[in-house]
Amino acid sequence: MTIEKLSDIEFGEELPVFDPDTGIPNITRFCEAAGWMGARFTDHEAAKKEGLPGALVPGIMSQGFLAAMIHRWAPNADIRNIDTVFRAPLLADQPAHINGVVTDIDEDTGEVEIDLTVTNDAGETRVFGTARAIIQA
Amino acid sequence: MSEHADIDAAKAQFVGQVYDEQTLTFDAQKLAVYATACGESAARYTDPTHEDFQAPPTFPTSLHPGKRLPDGYPKFNGLGMDAGKAVSPIEPIRPGIPITARTHVHDIYTKTGRSGRMVFTVIRMELTDPDNTLLATADTSIVIREKPAS
């Protein structure tokens, strides 16, 4: 179910889990569009030569996943802020899972606060953040 | 004499000082690919023919200033890492419109833990349209786990 208006949302509500595409071909498309081309994002062997465990999902792409997740849940959400912390590298070609929970609702302004966490298959948090979005009444 | 760099002096000298300014124009197709690759599903971000087409909300954090830090900024002794990014969209960023990106040091602060002092520098880019309307701010936090000066 998608959210159309503020009254559809409950405090503590969990957003549907979003598993973004972390594959190298998708990351390459993203990097070309963002002007962030670098072998550490698109080539596992090149990344390992830099001392990394493998190619990385760019942090700015992880942040983009968070916004996309909110719009999949509430298509008309007007995102006002996303604050993201990169705790550990998110590796390309490895599954990632994004969870979100509504932590505050301001009935007067229509602003909703959402805590978001990106984990890997081992359940390790790689990225987390908080978003604020306006949902129409 | 302190064994660490003087944070108060750095704040007094650099916070609030615009050290980079660029004019940028964005391509609709690239904005749409950016959004789609992130898994965005709202047509106002993925379809350049949509009447309200605009850059996806997190796009401003992808923009680099021409200089990472101001000239003369202290070289804190340690390994620097990207600690996080924050974006505040205010008004839509449309393709084909010249956007001015001004960058300044927004804050410098420290945290001290068991492993020593960490210095955080928050770099803020402000994006404005030709009418000087603020469209978005994008913050990048750089953290340096400081080693005492030898």
Side-chain angles (χ1 to χ4, degrees):
Chain A
M1 182 185 120
T2 56
I3 296 296
E4 300 295 336
K5 57 187 186 300
L6 190 66
S7 59
D8 293 340
I9 304 171
E10 292 185 16
F11 176 80
E13 177 173 338
E14 293 186 3
L15 281 65
V17 175
F18 173 41
D19 293 347
D21 181 352
T22 62
I24 292 276
N26 191 45
I27 292 174
T28 302
R29 276 193 295 275
F30 174 84
C31 288
E32 287 172 351
W36 270 52
M37 286 307 291
R40 63 167 50 190
F41 302 124
T42 57
D43 183 331
H44 287 297
E45 292 310 312
K48 287 175 182 172
K49 285 179 183 169
E50 291 188 41
L52 299 166
L56 308 178
V57 177
I60 56 169
M61 189 176 190
S62 296
Q63 192 180 51
F65 293 158
L66 303 184
M69 181 189 190
I70 292 169
H71 289 134
R72 284 166 175 253
W73 170 68
N76 295 317
D78 184 9
I79 293 173
R80 309 311 293 171
N81 178 267
I82 299 185
D83 194 348
T84 313
V85 175
F86 307 124
R87 175 180 280 181
L90 183 63
L91 297 181
D93 285 332
Q94 293 196 4
H97 316 288
I98 308 179
N99 288 273
V101 61
V102 175
T103 55
D104 195 21
I105 303 172
D106 186 328
E107 303 280 357
D108 294 331
T109 63
E111 187 171 282
V112 175
E113 186 175 277
I114 305 161
D115 281 357
L116 298 150
T117 309
V118 183
T119 56
N120 60 15
D121 261 355
E124 298 163 332
T125 298
R126 317 314 277 172
V127 179
F128 63 92
T130 301
R132 291 185 293 106
I134 303 290
I135 311 286
Q136 61 191 21
Chain B
M1 180 179 156
S2 169
E3 62 183 353
H4 288 306
D6 185 341
I7 299 300
D8 288 339
K11 288 177 75 166
Q13 184 175 356
F14 292 103
V15 169
Q17 175 198 116
V18 174
Y19 66 88
D20 188 74
E21 181 172 327
Q22 306 173 75
T23 300
L24 308 165
T25 306
F26 308 117
D27 176 77
Q29 290 299 332
K30 285 187 176 178
L31 293 176
V33 170
Y34 189 109
T36 304
C38 290
E40 188 59 73
S41 54
R44 64 187 182 279
Y45 305 116
T46 62
D47 179 0
T49 67
H50 190 279
E51 62 181 3
D52 191 28
F53 182 73
Q54 58 190 273
T58 62
F59 175 74
T61 56
S62 71
L63 304 175
H64 297 288
K67 289 190 288 191
R68 184 174 164 86
L69 289 164
D71 292 337
Y73 195 74
K75 296 188 187 310
F76 298 111
N77 184 30
L79 181 65
M81 295 178 291
D82 187 347
K85 291 185 185 297
V87 60
S88 296
I90 297 165
E91 297 288 342
I93 296 173
R94 310 286 186 188
I97 306 291
I99 303 295
T100 300
R102 295 184 183 89
T103 305
H104 66 272
V105 176
H106 183 65
D107 197 10
I108 308 168
Y109 61 95
T110 62
K111 289 183 180 178
T112 303
R114 280 175 295 184
S115 59
R117 190 171 83 156
M118 294 184 291
V119 180
F120 291 78
T121 301
V122 181
I123 303 298
R124 173 164 293 180
M125 178 181 283
E126 295 182 341
L127 303 177
T128 55
D129 69 8
D131 295 328
N132 209 30
T133 299
L134 182 62
L135 305 180
T137 66
D139 292 353
T140 296
S141 296
I142 301 165
V143 59
I144 294 176
R145 192 179 299 278
E146 201 174 29
K147 298 175 185 170
S150 53

